[in-house]
Amino acid sequence: MTDRHRGPDRGGRDAPGASAALGAGAALFNERRFLAARDAWNRGRRSAGDDRGDDDERLLRALAATAAATHRAADGDRAGAAAEADDAAAALRGVADARCVALAPVREWAERLAADPGGADPASAPRIRVDGEAPMVDGLSLAAAGVAAPALATAGEPGDPETLATAAAFAREERGTGRTEFAELLFAYLRTPDARPQVAARLGDHVDREERKRRDVDGLF
């Protein structure tokens, strides 16, 4: 395959960066999808590779641990919740650059979970605020949506996470071309939970078709 016709790497090489993961995880956490939020933030940790990488990794690790603790508390796993919350509180104390995230309520929540995981109702978890706003899934950017969709699939929603990540990469390629098919389906996946099985299937078909088309083009060179 030539570089000219190479499509998005299914291994996630051209995944969006830490900012997209931060917004995606915040929106998922705010909608009480704690396991998906953890996955979104962990995806951002893997892509934090610029000069801010260390600061970004610490922030995302702290948030992912908070989401994991909250998920375990919701499942009634008090010991697991306390252990994760201890890790979260320690990680939050090490965050120097919060990227405009309001961390004080998150620290308070992690410390509360660590002290009394059985008495802390996950429904009362704070909203994650970024730049003064509490993002929700229906307001995400395309880059953040491309993190949130695979994270939801990893957490048990319909669809294959790898296929959804590839669809997100194709959607980013479409920007500025006038073709928005992948982006529209990606947002439909996020915004219409009842239709996710059908939308995931359509995205899978579109990804397969696009990859076949690119392979056919590659065969001409």
Side-chain angles (χ1 to χ4, degrees):
M1 180 180 290
T2 66
D3 289 342
R4 178 181 176 184
H5 299 289
R6 190 181 300 275
D9 187 345
R10 278 185 175 259
R13 182 186 59 198
D14 34 344
S19 293
L22 179 61
L28 292 166
F29 191 96
N30 292 342
E31 297 199 4
R32 298 332 192 212
R33 301 303 306 265
F34 304 121
L35 195 59
R38 182 193 68 177
D39 183 77
W41 284 323
N42 279 333
R43 287 172 184 268
R45 291 176 62 193
R46 294 193 290 271
S47 67
D50 57 15
D51 292 339
R52 294 176 49 93
D54 289 344
D55 285 339
D56 288 341
E57 198 280 335
R58 280 191 289 267
L59 173 61
L60 293 167
R61 174 162 51 89
L63 292 171
T66 303
T70 309
H71 172 73
R72 287 183 179 273
D75 274 359
D77 179 3
R78 295 187 180 186
E84 292 279 8
D86 277 334
D87 289 345
L92 285 163
R93 287 193 291 271
V95 173
D97 185 346
R99 269 189 178 256
C100 298
V101 180
L103 284 188
V106 184
R107 288 192 187 98
E108 292 171 4
W109 173 246
E111 290 167 358
R112 180 179 168 193
L113 277 176
D116 183 17
D121 181 4
S124 67
R127 304 287 180 182
I128 305 294
R129 303 188 73 83
V130 183
D131 290 323
E133 302 290 337
M136 303 297 282
V137 164
D138 62 2
L140 289 177
S141 67
L142 177 59
V147 179
L152 280 167
T154 299
E157 287 294 313
D160 173 62
E162 186 177 330
T163 298
L164 289 169
T166 303
F170 285 139
R172 292 194 298 275
E173 288 185 3
E174 285 181 342
R175 282 185 298 187
T177 68
R179 297 182 297 114
T180 61
E181 191 171 40
F182 281 104
E184 288 175 355
L185 285 171
L186 197 67
F187 283 118
Y189 180 87
L190 292 176
R191 295 169 178 171
T192 53
D194 292 343
R196 276 181 189 149
Q198 295 85 356
V199 176
R202 287 186 63 192
L203 275 167
D205 289 343
H206 280 60
V207 166
D208 287 343
R209 184 166 62 248
E210 182 66 19
E211 289 183 330
R212 284 197 305 271
K213 181 174 70 176
R214 294 184 183 211
R215 285 194 298 270
D216 290 343
V217 171
D218 290 337
L220 300 176
F221 293 87

PDB file of all heavy atoms in Angstrom, residues 11 13 36 45 53 55 59 62 67 79 85 93 100 118 132 163 167-168 175 180 200 204 212 220:
ATOM      1  N   GLY A  11      -4.857   0.357  14.229  1.00  0.00           N
ATOM      2  CA  GLY A  11      -4.189   0.288  15.510  1.00  0.00           C
ATOM      3  C   GLY A  11      -4.285   1.568  16.314  1.00  0.00           C
ATOM      4  O   GLY A  11      -3.811   1.639  17.436  1.00  0.00           O
ATOM      5  N   ARG A  13      -3.112   4.660  15.374  1.00  0.00           N
ATOM      6  CA  ARG A  13      -1.951   5.527  15.253  1.00  0.00           C
ATOM      7  C   ARG A  13      -2.341   6.978  15.098  1.00  0.00           C
ATOM      8  O   ARG A  13      -1.704   7.871  15.640  1.00  0.00           O
ATOM      9  CB  ARG A  13      -1.117   5.084  14.055  1.00  0.00           C
ATOM     10  CG  ARG A  13       0.146   5.889  13.848  1.00  0.00           C
ATOM     11  CD  ARG A  13       0.819   5.469  12.558  1.00  0.00           C
ATOM     12  NE  ARG A  13      -0.083   5.673  11.425  1.00  0.00           N
ATOM     13  CZ  ARG A  13       0.094   5.089  10.254  1.00  0.00           C
ATOM     14  NH1 ARG A  13       1.073   4.246  10.072  1.00  0.00           N
ATOM     15  NH2 ARG A  13      -0.763   5.329   9.261  1.00  0.00           N
ATOM     16  N   ALA A  36     -17.294   3.980  30.482  1.00  0.00           N
ATOM     17  CA  ALA A  36     -16.928   4.556  29.184  1.00  0.00           C
ATOM     18  C   ALA A  36     -16.031   5.779  29.365  1.00  0.00           C
ATOM     19  O   ALA A  36     -15.090   5.998  28.595  1.00  0.00           O
ATOM     20  CB  ALA A  36     -18.183   4.934  28.399  1.00  0.00           C
ATOM     21  N   ARG A  45      -4.636   9.058  27.388  1.00  0.00           N
ATOM     22  CA  ARG A  45      -3.314   8.819  27.976  1.00  0.00           C
ATOM     23  C   ARG A  45      -2.370   8.192  26.961  1.00  0.00           C
ATOM     24  O   ARG A  45      -1.190   8.530  26.893  1.00  0.00           O
ATOM     25  CB  ARG A  45      -3.433   7.902  29.190  1.00  0.00           C
ATOM     26  CG  ARG A  45      -4.117   8.502  30.392  1.00  0.00           C
ATOM     27  CD  ARG A  45      -4.252   7.477  31.492  1.00  0.00           C
ATOM     28  NE  ARG A  45      -2.930   7.032  31.946  1.00  0.00           N
ATOM     29  CZ  ARG A  45      -2.746   5.966  32.729  1.00  0.00           C
ATOM     30  NH1 ARG A  45      -3.781   5.232  33.110  1.00  0.00           N
ATOM     31  NH2 ARG A  45      -1.527   5.634  33.110  1.00  0.00           N
ATOM     32  N   GLY A  53       2.854  16.218  27.223  1.00  0.00           N
ATOM     33  CA  GLY A  53       2.475  14.834  27.462  1.00  0.00           C
ATOM     34  C   GLY A  53       2.440  14.428  28.919  1.00  0.00           C
ATOM     35  O   GLY A  53       1.504  13.769  29.373  1.00  0.00           O
ATOM     36  N   ASP A  55       2.100  16.260  31.724  1.00  0.00           N
ATOM     37  CA  ASP A  55       0.988  16.896  32.425  1.00  0.00           C
ATOM     38  C   ASP A  55      -0.341  16.284  31.994  1.00  0.00           C
ATOM     39  O   ASP A  55      -1.207  16.011  32.826  1.00  0.00           O
ATOM     40  CB  ASP A  55       0.965  18.399  32.147  1.00  0.00           C
ATOM     41  CG  ASP A  55       2.057  19.142  32.898  1.00  0.00           C
ATOM     42  OD1 ASP A  55       2.557  18.600  33.905  1.00  0.00           O
ATOM     43  OD2 ASP A  55       2.417  20.246  32.466  1.00  0.00           O
ATOM     44  N   LEU A  59      -3.101  14.190  34.391  1.00  0.00           N
ATOM     45  CA  LEU A  59      -4.490  14.624  34.518  1.00  0.00           C
ATOM     46  C   LEU A  59      -5.445  13.526  34.081  1.00  0.00           C
ATOM     47  O   LEU A  59      -6.418  13.202  34.787  1.00  0.00           O
ATOM     48  CB  LEU A  59      -4.720  15.886  33.677  1.00  0.00           C
ATOM     49  CG  LEU A  59      -6.160  16.374  33.566  1.00  0.00           C
ATOM     50  CD1 LEU A  59      -6.718  16.727  34.929  1.00  0.00           C
ATOM     51  CD2 LEU A  59      -6.252  17.564  32.615  1.00  0.00           C
ATOM     52  N   ALA A  62      -5.566  10.628  36.530  1.00  0.00           N
ATOM     53  CA  ALA A  62      -6.338  10.969  37.719  1.00  0.00           C
ATOM     54  C   ALA A  62      -7.839  10.878  37.445  1.00  0.00           C
ATOM     55  O   ALA A  62      -8.608  10.327  38.245  1.00  0.00           O
ATOM     56  CB  ALA A  62      -5.969  12.370  38.193  1.00  0.00           C
ATOM     57  N   ALA A  67     -13.138   7.877  37.607  1.00  0.00           N
ATOM     58  CA  ALA A  67     -14.245   7.196  36.938  1.00  0.00           C
ATOM     59  C   ALA A  67     -14.302   5.722  37.331  1.00  0.00           C
ATOM     60  O   ALA A  67     -15.391   5.163  37.557  1.00  0.00           O
ATOM     61  CB  ALA A  67     -14.099   7.338  35.424  1.00  0.00           C
ATOM     62  N   ALA A  79     -14.574  -2.379  48.352  1.00  0.00           N
ATOM     63  CA  ALA A  79     -13.117  -2.477  48.467  1.00  0.00           C
ATOM     64  C   ALA A  79     -12.442  -1.963  47.200  1.00  0.00           C
ATOM     65  O   ALA A  79     -11.457  -1.212  47.254  1.00  0.00           O
ATOM     66  CB  ALA A  79     -12.707  -3.921  48.750  1.00  0.00           C
ATOM     67  N   ALA A  85     -10.280   4.868  44.440  1.00  0.00           N
ATOM     68  CA  ALA A  85     -10.423   6.257  44.898  1.00  0.00           C
ATOM     69  C   ALA A  85      -9.150   6.751  45.570  1.00  0.00           C
ATOM     70  O   ALA A  85      -8.778   7.926  45.425  1.00  0.00           O
ATOM     71  CB  ALA A  85     -11.610   6.377  45.849  1.00  0.00           C
ATOM     72  N   ARG A  93      -3.629  14.893  43.392  1.00  0.00           N
ATOM     73  CA  ARG A  93      -2.704  15.781  44.105  1.00  0.00           C
ATOM     74  C   ARG A  93      -1.454  16.072  43.280  1.00  0.00           C
ATOM     75  O   ARG A  93      -0.780  17.085  43.503  1.00  0.00           O
ATOM     76  CB  ARG A  93      -2.321  15.159  45.450  1.00  0.00           C
ATOM     77  CG  ARG A  93      -3.436  15.208  46.482  1.00  0.00           C
ATOM     78  CD  ARG A  93      -2.912  14.874  47.873  1.00  0.00           C
ATOM     79  NE  ARG A  93      -2.519  13.463  47.981  1.00  0.00           N
ATOM     80  CZ  ARG A  93      -3.337  12.485  48.343  1.00  0.00           C
ATOM     81  NH1 ARG A  93      -4.619  12.747  48.626  1.00  0.00           N
ATOM     82  NH2 ARG A  93      -2.904  11.242  48.433  1.00  0.00           N
ATOM     83  N   CYS A 100      -7.818  23.692  32.450  1.00  0.00           N
ATOM     84  CA  CYS A 100      -9.093  24.389  32.676  1.00  0.00           C
ATOM     85  C   CYS A 100     -10.193  23.461  33.189  1.00  0.00           C
ATOM     86  O   CYS A 100     -11.388  23.765  33.056  1.00  0.00           O
ATOM     87  CB  CYS A 100      -9.563  25.112  31.415  1.00  0.00           C
ATOM     88  SG  CYS A 100      -8.430  26.397  30.849  1.00  0.00           S
ATOM     89  N   GLY A 118     -19.244   3.064  50.500  1.00  0.00           N
ATOM     90  CA  GLY A 118     -20.628   2.614  50.614  1.00  0.00           C
ATOM     91  C   GLY A 118     -21.603   3.742  50.854  1.00  0.00           C
ATOM     92  O   GLY A 118     -22.777   3.635  50.520  1.00  0.00           O
ATOM     93  N   GLY A 132     -15.408  26.019  32.463  1.00  0.00           N
ATOM     94  CA  GLY A 132     -16.642  26.519  33.057  1.00  0.00           C
ATOM     95  C   GLY A 132     -17.900  25.838  32.597  1.00  0.00           C
ATOM     96  O   GLY A 132     -18.987  26.154  33.082  1.00  0.00           O
ATOM     97  N   THR A 163     -13.754  -0.804  14.943  1.00  0.00           N
ATOM     98  CA  THR A 163     -14.446  -0.322  13.746  1.00  0.00           C
ATOM     99  C   THR A 163     -14.931   1.111  13.943  1.00  0.00           C
ATOM    100  O   THR A 163     -14.828   1.952  13.033  1.00  0.00           O
ATOM    101  CB  THR A 163     -15.630  -1.234  13.417  1.00  0.00           C
ATOM    102  OG1 THR A 163     -15.139  -2.551  13.149  1.00  0.00           O
ATOM    103  CG2 THR A 163     -16.404  -0.735  12.208  1.00  0.00           C
ATOM    104  N   ALA A 167     -14.004   4.401  11.804  1.00  0.00           N
ATOM    105  CA  ALA A 167     -15.024   5.296  11.261  1.00  0.00           C
ATOM    106  C   ALA A 167     -14.758   6.735  11.678  1.00  0.00           C
ATOM    107  O   ALA A 167     -14.931   7.672  10.888  1.00  0.00           O
ATOM    108  CB  ALA A 167     -16.411   4.856  11.737  1.00  0.00           C
ATOM    109  N   ALA A 168     -14.311   6.932  12.924  1.00  0.00           N
ATOM    110  CA  ALA A 168     -13.996   8.277  13.396  1.00  0.00           C
ATOM    111  C   ALA A 168     -12.825   8.865  12.618  1.00  0.00           C
ATOM    112  O   ALA A 168     -12.819  10.061  12.284  1.00  0.00           O
ATOM    113  CB  ALA A 168     -13.681   8.242  14.887  1.00  0.00           C
ATOM    114  N   ARG A 175     -13.576  16.016   6.759  1.00  0.00           N
ATOM    115  CA  ARG A 175     -13.756  17.431   7.062  1.00  0.00           C
ATOM    116  C   ARG A 175     -13.208  18.293   5.930  1.00  0.00           C
ATOM    117  O   ARG A 175     -12.090  18.104   5.458  1.00  0.00           O
ATOM    118  CB  ARG A 175     -13.043  17.793   8.367  1.00  0.00           C
ATOM    119  CG  ARG A 175     -13.809  17.371   9.590  1.00  0.00           C
ATOM    120  CD  ARG A 175     -13.145  17.857  10.855  1.00  0.00           C
ATOM    121  NE  ARG A 175     -11.804  17.295  11.015  1.00  0.00           N
ATOM    122  CZ  ARG A 175     -11.059  17.463  12.106  1.00  0.00           C
ATOM    123  NH1 ARG A 175     -11.512  18.183  13.108  1.00  0.00           N
ATOM    124  NH2 ARG A 175      -9.855  16.919  12.180  1.00  0.00           N
ATOM    125  N   THR A 180     -19.981  14.125   4.574  1.00  0.00           N
ATOM    126  CA  THR A 180     -20.098  14.033   6.025  1.00  0.00           C
ATOM    127  C   THR A 180     -20.750  12.732   6.468  1.00  0.00           C
ATOM    128  O   THR A 180     -21.233  12.631   7.593  1.00  0.00           O
ATOM    129  CB  THR A 180     -20.922  15.212   6.563  1.00  0.00           C
ATOM    130  OG1 THR A 180     -22.244  15.158   5.993  1.00  0.00           O
ATOM    131  CG2 THR A 180     -20.272  16.542   6.234  1.00  0.00           C
ATOM    132  N   ALA A 200     -24.493   1.234  14.478  1.00  0.00           N
ATOM    133  CA  ALA A 200     -23.201   0.542  14.516  1.00  0.00           C
ATOM    134  C   ALA A 200     -23.050  -0.385  13.320  1.00  0.00           C
ATOM    135  O   ALA A 200     -21.967  -0.483  12.725  1.00  0.00           O
ATOM    136  CB  ALA A 200     -23.064  -0.241  15.821  1.00  0.00           C
ATOM    137  N   GLY A 204     -20.263  -0.100  10.393  1.00  0.00           N
ATOM    138  CA  GLY A 204     -19.415  -1.230  10.022  1.00  0.00           C
ATOM    139  C   GLY A 204     -19.441  -1.481   8.528  1.00  0.00           C
ATOM    140  O   GLY A 204     -18.389  -1.719   7.911  1.00  0.00           O
ATOM    141  N   ARG A 212     -12.435  -1.441   1.317  1.00  0.00           N
ATOM    142  CA  ARG A 212     -12.341  -2.181   0.044  1.00  0.00           C
ATOM    143  C   ARG A 212     -12.012  -1.232  -1.103  1.00  0.00           C
ATOM    144  O   ARG A 212     -11.191  -1.547  -1.971  1.00  0.00           O
ATOM    145  CB  ARG A 212     -13.649  -2.921  -0.246  1.00  0.00           C
ATOM    146  CG  ARG A 212     -13.862  -4.170   0.578  1.00  0.00           C
ATOM    147  CD  ARG A 212     -14.927  -5.054  -0.030  1.00  0.00           C
ATOM    148  NE  ARG A 212     -16.188  -4.352  -0.227  1.00  0.00           N
ATOM    149  CZ  ARG A 212     -17.145  -4.288   0.697  1.00  0.00           C
ATOM    150  NH1 ARG A 212     -16.971  -4.881   1.882  1.00  0.00           N
ATOM    151  NH2 ARG A 212     -18.266  -3.638   0.451  1.00  0.00           N
ATOM    152  N   LEU A 220      -4.116  -0.315  -8.241  1.00  0.00           N
ATOM    153  CA  LEU A 220      -3.834   0.343  -9.507  1.00  0.00           C
ATOM    154  C   LEU A 220      -2.433   0.931  -9.542  1.00  0.00           C
ATOM    155  O   LEU A 220      -1.985   1.371 -10.613  1.00  0.00           O
ATOM    156  CB  LEU A 220      -4.863   1.453  -9.759  1.00  0.00           C
ATOM    157  CG  LEU A 220      -6.327   1.016  -9.843  1.00  0.00           C
ATOM    158  CD1 LEU A 220      -7.216   2.243  -9.985  1.00  0.00           C
ATOM    159  CD2 LEU A 220      -6.528   0.046 -10.987  1.00  0.00           C
TER     160      LEU A 220
END
